[in-house]
Amino acid sequence: MRNIAAYWRDRYWKDRGLAFKLIWINLVLIAVPLLLSSLLSGIGYSKSMQRNVGAYQADAVREFSANLDIYMNELALLSTLPYQTPDLLDYLERRNAGETSVYEERMLLEDFMRRIRVNGRIDTIGITLQAEKVRSYVEPPDSPGRFTEKYDPDLSAFYVSASSGRAVFAGPHTVRSDNGSTYSVFSAVRVIRSLESGSPLAVLKIDVPSNDLRERIANLSGDGERSVAVLDDRGIPIYESGTFPDSTGSLAAYRGAGTVTLGGGKASVLMTYVTSPVTGWTVLQAVPLSVLLRDAETVNRQMLLVGLACLVASILVSVLYSLRITRPLSLLRRSMKQVEKGEFGISIPVEREDEIGHLSRTFNLMVSRLGTLTYRLYETEIREKNAEIASLQSQINPHFLYNTLGSISMYAELEGNREVVSMTNHLSALLRYSMGGGRAEVTVREEIEHIRGYLAIQSIRYEERLRFRIEAAPGLMEQPVIRLTLQPVVENAIVHGLERGSGEVEIRIAIAEDGGRVVIAVEDNGPGMDDESLRRQNAKMEEGRLPEGPGGHGLVNVHRRLALKYGGGFGVSLEHSASGGIRALIRLPAIREEEQGEGREGIG
């Protein structure tokens, strides 16, 4: 695979023009993401629609089942009327046995039957009250009420299913009237129990025409694109409309609540089922996926058309802008080839203000200056020679200054003024040390000797007010340090201790090694600084920002020189000293003797 890619790159890509490459890159970067996003969006939208429609259908089936439960609950409430009729309960328990006649019993039962028909909003066509201890009573469809006889149906089969005291529902079945006619009914059956003992007293069965139930289900099921079925608790169909491509072979297997997809391909349907907790009946509704996703397919087609239109537009824009970008670059390439041949009189027309226009202007400027490069190089060489002569001349001036200081020292010694002699000698040494002699680094010993001379001059100036001590750990005097590192720090201590304070000031310089670093501490017992001023000064040194006004420049310069030379973690920091003044800590990298020897060998 790698060899194929390399062959394709070398054969078809490497020698192609920039316009060709830009067009193909834009096509890949635009077309592929656009097609993928359209495809993924269409798939995601279809799945989202299917989920949403499935949830909507589940809600619709639950609402359908709830409306059916309301109807069945009305029938169940009718079966509770015996509990609201004390005379009937008293009759069923035979409390006044022997005191009532057959006529009174008949009137009591007929009155109860009328109450059922009057109180219910349901068209009941048959009622049966089968008692345990007294006469049973029945009103068949289209027949007057009477006491039950041997050929009347036995309701004992409902004792087990209705033993909890709740109403149970019998699916559509056939009953016969006294005149021989048959009727299709469904029934609500309840076992009537004693309120005191809870023992069964009778079984009440209320019959309702099956057509009423089927019409209500048909009204709730909606349009003809849906298939609806209602099964009783035994899986026997109560109502069916449409067809169900059942993959399990039996709709009775679906109990509880859920949504499944049945069938395959274009014939697949989305089926939702809910089992009623009131009746135990299961409502099933199936809708073809082609119907549910009709709108989704329309949207997908529209998205595909929009994506194709955007792709065509992007191709046209890519081609136009690729050519617009590459034309001036091609012109620039041809012009550069002419310049390579020595033609410096050409100029590219600049018609745009973008990067290519800037490049064209720069090319024109470059070509216009090529003719003067030889003269500028010659002029530069002359200036370098003049600079060398001026540098040699500037080295003569310090010798004149040293000779003048020597003359002053000689006359002062002849006059017997030892202080002037000492100051001029120390000043001459300071000047020679400051000139450097070409060395950027010196040893700690040389830096200390320079500081001794500087402090000797300051001691003559301030007399008894200035005292100093220098302490160094063994083996650290040969450590390298940048020239003139200590003088600005010591000068800062003198300025803050003597010039801005009163009384005597002692400056202590201690050199020690701590954790692989050489630490030079310059401490004074002057008035010191407050915490905020100390924090600001340390921040200025870290930022490398020179403070406003006089003073403070030397510390910043020393810290930046050390940080640039030795890296982070080295430099100068200020803190409060125990004597009340300021302690300046100069941190340098510690270099072992063998490393110093190697450095000297390298230098030699």
Side-chain angles (χ1 to χ4, degrees), residues 332-345:
L332 181 61
R333 183 185 62 180
R334 292 193 298 269
S335 301
M336 292 181 67
K337 288 183 177 181
Q338 293 177 354
V339 172
E340 290 177 359
K341 297 177 181 179
E343 299 178 12
F344 301 110

Side-chain angles (χ1 to χ4, degrees), residues 441 443-444 473-481 512-519 566 570 588-601:
E441 279 188 337
T443 63
V444 173
L476 299 180
M477 298 301 288
E478 302 304 321
Q479 290 288 325
V481 64
E513 186 175 0
D514 181 17
R517 298 181 179 182
V518 176
V519 180
Y566 302 119
F570 300 100
L588 308 170
I591 301 178
R592 304 301 176 188
E593 292 183 0
E594 56 270 17
E595 296 177 355
Q596 298 177 20
E598 292 175 1
R600 286 192 293 270
E601 291 174 3

Side-chain angles (χ1 to χ4, degrees), residues 556-582:
V556 176
N557 287 333
V558 170
H559 176 77
R560 296 307 297 166
R561 287 166 60 203
L562 294 176
L564 292 173
K565 174 69 176 178
Y566 302 119
F570 300 100
V572 182
S573 63
L574 302 181
E575 62 182 26
H576 294 291
S577 68
S579 60
I582 298 297

Side-chain angles (χ1 to χ4, degrees), residues 57-233:
Q57 181 170 326
D59 293 338
V61 172
R62 282 193 291 269
E63 184 178 359
F64 177 90
S65 179
N67 290 331
L68 187 59
D69 288 345
I70 292 173
Y71 177 76
M72 302 305 289
N73 275 327
E74 291 180 0
L75 184 58
L77 288 175
L78 289 178
S79 65
T80 63
L81 279 179
Y83 295 108
Q84 302 173 25
T85 311
D87 293 341
L88 179 62
L89 289 177
D90 194 48
Y91 168 75
L92 294 176
E93 292 184 356
R94 293 183 62 89
R95 291 186 177 178
N96 299 318
E99 296 182 3
T100 58
S101 63
V102 175
Y103 174 77
E104 290 173 337
E105 293 177 359
R106 185 180 182 90
M107 292 300 294
L108 174 64
L109 295 173
E110 286 182 352
D111 180 66
F112 171 69
M113 298 300 179
R114 283 194 297 272
R115 288 187 60 194
I116 290 178
R117 297 183 185 279
V118 171
N119 290 334
R121 290 178 296 174
I122 300 174
D123 184 16
T124 57
I125 64 172
I127 303 170
T128 302
L129 181 66
Q130 195 171 87
E132 295 251 339
K133 302 176 181 180
V134 296
R135 293 184 181 90
S136 300
Y137 195 80
V138 61
E139 280 192 7
D142 292 339
S143 301
R146 57 176 171 76
F147 291 106
T148 58
E149 299 175 359
K150 293 181 180 180
Y151 54 83
D152 288 323
D154 185 11
L155 303 183
S156 60
F158 294 99
Y159 266 99
V160 176
S161 57
S163 60
S164 63
R166 297 176 57 186
V168 297
F169 299 92
H173 57 281
T174 302
V175 296
R176 184 182 298 274
S177 66
D178 290 345
N179 58 14
S181 301
T182 58
Y183 296 86
S184 177
V185 300
F186 72 95
S187 307
V189 183
R190 183 187 295 272
V191 175
I192 308 301
R193 296 180 176 273
S194 172
L195 294 177
E196 295 180 359
S197 63
S199 59
L201 301 177
V203 178
L204 177 62
K205 177 173 176 286
I206 302 175
D207 298 327
V208 178
S210 298
N211 290 334
D212 289 357
L213 178 63
R214 291 192 177 95
E215 289 177 2
R216 180 173 289 271
I217 295 174
N219 293 333
L220 293 174
S221 62
D223 55 44
E225 293 182 330
R226 294 178 173 86
S227 298
V228 179
V230 179
L231 309 180
D232 65 9
D233 54 354

Side-chain angles (χ1 to χ4, degrees), residues 394-411 420-421 423-438 450 483-484:
S394 65
Q395 295 179 6
I396 301 175
N397 296 331
H399 291 288
F400 172 75
L401 182 59
Y402 298 151
N403 293 335
T404 303
L405 290 175
S407 300
I408 294 174
S409 176
M410 181 183 65
Y411 282 114
V420 175
V421 173
M423 291 185 69
T424 53
N425 289 337
H426 284 305
L427 180 59
S428 177
L430 291 179
L431 290 174
R432 290 180 185 275
Y433 185 80
S434 300
M435 294 301 177
H450 171 68
R483 180 187 299 275
L484 295 177

